[in-house]
Amino acid sequence: MRMQTERARRRFNKYGRQEDGDTWKEHRRIYYRKMNECKRTTWQKFVGEADERSIWKVNKYLNSIPTNTYIPTLEGQAATNTQKTDTLSKTFFPPPPPADLSDIPNASYPDPVPTNLNITMAQVERAIDKLAPNKAPGPDEIPNHILKRCCSVLQHHILALAQQSMSTGHFPQPFKETITLVLRRPNKPNYTKPNAYRPIALESTVGKVLESIMADHISYLCETLNLLPKHHFGGRPGRTMEDAMLILSESIHQAWKEGKVFSAILMDVAGAFNNVHHARLIHNMRKRKIPVEITQWVLSFLSNRTTRMRFNGITTDLIPTPTGIPQGSPLSPILYILYNSDLLEIPKGRKQLGLGFIDDILYGVQNKTAMANSSELERLLARSETWRQRHGAQFEKSKYVLIHFTRNPLAQVEATVTIGGTTIHPSPEARYLDVTFD
């Protein structure tokens, strides 16, 4: 029906005859009417078949406020789509950060853990089964549900491709091109700033299958052989947001039982995924005993990547992405956890807590007074500065949140934390993983 409408429009534009114009308008009217009928029928079916899980999605759709997807003038200067492309690409795809890599050339690594990269059919089927059927396709324009429906026909070919990719440590170049959707971050005060938007990579469907197989393999090694800090949550099987909040709550209550003040500082890493330095990531993986054949494949996956941004109804030309990890990739969570795990190993004391949920980091300490806690937190943050310099990361200190938890209404909880010339004043409440602690 849409093709008929388009053909009628082209015929009218070519010949300009009145009867062709009337035909085009009639086709267009029928097409729009049918589209509205299909939308209404689909919505009614969706609501009618809602179960105890999908009913919450219905509630979200009904109560959410529609957002304007148009990107306005950025920074007061980028008015045209070409200028917006330049501004957004500098934010999303910066050059490699100026990291201190002086320790890498002469680094010695522990013996890697044993691994077996012989891919099985079960791994391929599991990776295909994980694909969300209704997600938008990438540059290959192959919808996930098509691959799932054709799994029995294609799985042997995908298995052969995956095996060759893992054996040679090579990620195929055609799968390195993505489409980047530019989406608004919710509840941002100013959408004329490029950091108020989030880049989401739409990848090639078959490429995502290879990434999912490797992500599962790395995750299996990390969990089976305890290669990651125990308090790093998110993106890991059996470690949920509820677990992270429970550990924080228990730490606070344990400090109270001992008559102490528990103080926590929530850290913010600017553009976490966009600024991952590839050389530092590979170094960190090898430090954690990830085998060389896996790090070689990961480096191939990250190298020579390109993308086309899509916003305001346009799709840009190819843009190189020399740094970062593509958000939207099945590999992104586990790779970033390996990248920043050292941050969680800075707190080593018995009464110190390092808590992470992918890129959300929290340090906690307990002492008799808030002043003693502040001094201890300053020492932890000073050590985290070394991590920042070596990784080229940027901490947004203005967004740090400091909070002192105590049951004693007479306790002095005005102690501040100063780091890098920035003084962080205590807050009466802190929001961690979308839960407010006060």
Side-chain angles (χ1 to χ4, degrees):
M1 192 173 292
R2 183 179 64 180
M3 293 176 64
Q4 289 178 342
T5 304
E6 283 297 307
R7 281 197 295 267
R9 181 186 63 81
R10 289 195 296 268
R11 190 182 302 114
F12 172 65
N13 289 339
K14 183 176 181 179
Y15 299 110
R17 295 187 299 231
Q18 181 64 39
E19 57 270 25
D20 290 335
D22 294 339
T23 302
W24 167 46
K25 292 176 182 178
E26 178 65 16
H27 279 299
R28 185 178 61 180
R29 184 183 63 80
I30 296 174
Y31 172 66
Y32 285 142
R33 185 181 66 193
K34 194 65 176 177
M35 281 291 293
N36 289 331
E37 289 177 1
C38 290
K39 289 179 181 179
R40 183 164 55 251
T41 302
T42 302
W43 171 251
Q44 291 172 349
K45 180 181 178 182
F46 177 63
V47 174
E49 297 177 354
D51 55 21
E52 64 274 8
R53 294 184 62 185
S54 58
I55 192 66
W56 297 107
K57 187 174 291 186
V58 174
N59 180 69
K60 178 182 177 181
Y61 289 156
L62 291 174
N63 294 323
S64 61
I65 300 174
T67 58
N68 183 8
T69 58
Y70 183 81
I71 298 179
T73 299
L74 299 175
E75 302 284 15
Q77 296 179 342
T80 67
N81 285 333
T82 301
Q83 293 170 333
K84 293 172 186 176
T85 297
D86 185 59
T87 301
L88 290 169
S89 61
K90 289 178 180 177
T91 302
F92 296 158
F93 317 116
D100 179 8
L101 306 178
S102 58
D103 60 316
I104 293 181
N106 299 319
S108 58
Y109 301 106
D111 292 335
V113 297
T115 188
N116 180 4
L117 284 178
N118 291 325
I119 309 303
T120 66
M121 187 63 74
Q123 289 176 282
V124 173
E125 292 174 349
R126 186 163 56 246
I128 294 176
D129 187 58
K130 284 183 178 181
L131 295 173
N134 298 319
K135 291 291 185 180
D140 57 7
E141 298 185 352
I142 301 175
N144 290 347
H145 69 88
I146 296 296
L147 189 60
K148 293 169 77 74
R149 292 179 182 180
C150 300
C151 178
S152 59
V153 177
L154 299 176
Q155 59 185 1
H156 295 283
H157 302 286
I158 296 175
L159 174 61
L161 175 63
Q163 188 60 70
Q164 280 298 107
S165 176
M166 305 301 170
S167 300
T168 60
H170 173 73
F171 187 75
Q173 187 64 40
F175 300 152
K176 296 182 184 182
E177 180 183 332
T178 63
I179 294 175
T180 298
L181 300 184
V182 183
L183 304 180
R184 289 190 173 196
R185 297 178 184 268
N187 305 319
K188 290 294 181 180
N190 187 355
Y191 287 101
T192 64
K193 301 294 184 183
N195 57 7
Y197 298 87
R198 181 194 305 275
I200 299 297
L202 301 181
E203 300 185 300
S204 297
T205 302
V206 178
K208 264 193 297 194
V209 173
L210 303 186
E211 295 167 35
S212 183
I213 292 172
M214 180 57 78
D216 284 348
H217 191 78
I218 296 175
S219 178
Y220 172 79
L221 293 178
C222 290
E223 301 304 327
T224 305
L225 302 171
N226 299 315
L227 305 184
L228 296 173
K230 64 179 181 179
H231 286 164
H232 214 326
F233 297 88
R236 299 176 65 183
R239 294 172 180 264
T240 65
M241 180 176 66
E242 289 81 3
D243 295 327
M245 291 188 294
L246 181 62
I247 287 177
L248 177 56
S249 298
E250 287 296 318
S251 298
I252 295 170
H253 284 90
Q254 183 61 37
W256 288 353
K257 288 179 183 178
E258 298 176 8
K260 296 180 179 179
V261 178
F262 186 90
S263 299
I265 190 161
L266 283 68
M267 304 162 63
D268 188 276
V269 181
F273 284 81
N274 299 338
N275 290 286
V276 169
H277 198 293
H278 296 168
R280 178 61 66 181
L281 169 62
I282 300 302
H283 171 74
N284 288 0
M285 293 178 71
R286 295 193 63 186
K287 279 202 310 180
R288 294 193 176 272
K289 304 181 180 181
I290 301 297
V292 175
E293 49 264 52
I294 292 179
T295 60
Q296 180 183 347
W297 189 95
V298 170
L299 185 59
S300 175
F301 164 72
L302 295 173
S303 302
N304 304 315
R305 298 188 68 91
T306 57
T307 190
R308 300 178 191 268
M309 284 195 293
R310 183 175 291 171
F311 64 93
N312 289 359
I314 69 158
T315 301
T316 68
D317 295 332
L318 281 176
I319 301 169
T321 56
T323 190
I325 304 172
Q327 294 190 52
S329 166
L331 270 168
S332 297
I334 187 63
L335 290 186
Y336 194 80
I337 288 172
L338 287 162
Y339 188 68
N340 74 348
S341 284
D342 289 353
L343 273 177
L344 265 67
E345 294 179 341
I346 290 176
K348 295 181 178 179
R350 191 172 64 89
K351 299 298 184 180
Q352 295 178 344
L353 173 66
L355 197 59
F357 194 90
I358 304 183
D359 60 337
D360 291 317
I361 304 297
L362 177 148
Y363 287 165
V365 296
Q366 53 179 292
N367 284 288
K368 289 293 184 181
T369 66
M371 183 65 72
N373 283 347
S374 292
S375 299
E376 194 168 339
L377 286 173
E378 286 180 351
R379 290 192 291 271
L380 293 178
L381 292 176
R383 292 170 62 190
S384 73
E385 282 295 299
T386 302
W387 182 92
R388 182 192 66 79
Q389 293 169 2
R390 289 186 172 181
H391 291 71
Q394 294 297 322
F395 291 142
E396 292 194 35
K397 299 182 180 65
S398 61
K399 294 185 179 180
Y400 279 18
V401 178
L402 170 67
I403 184 170
H404 302 294
F405 297 96
T406 180
R407 276 182 172 171
N408 184 359
L410 302 178
Q412 299 295 318
V413 290
E414 293 80 21
T416 62
V417 168
T418 301
I419 181 70
T422 301
T423 299
I424 305 161
H425 296 273
S427 172
E429 63 180 31
R431 193 168 181 82
Y432 184 63
L433 303 179
D434 288 332
V435 175
T436 301
F437 288 80
D438 56 20

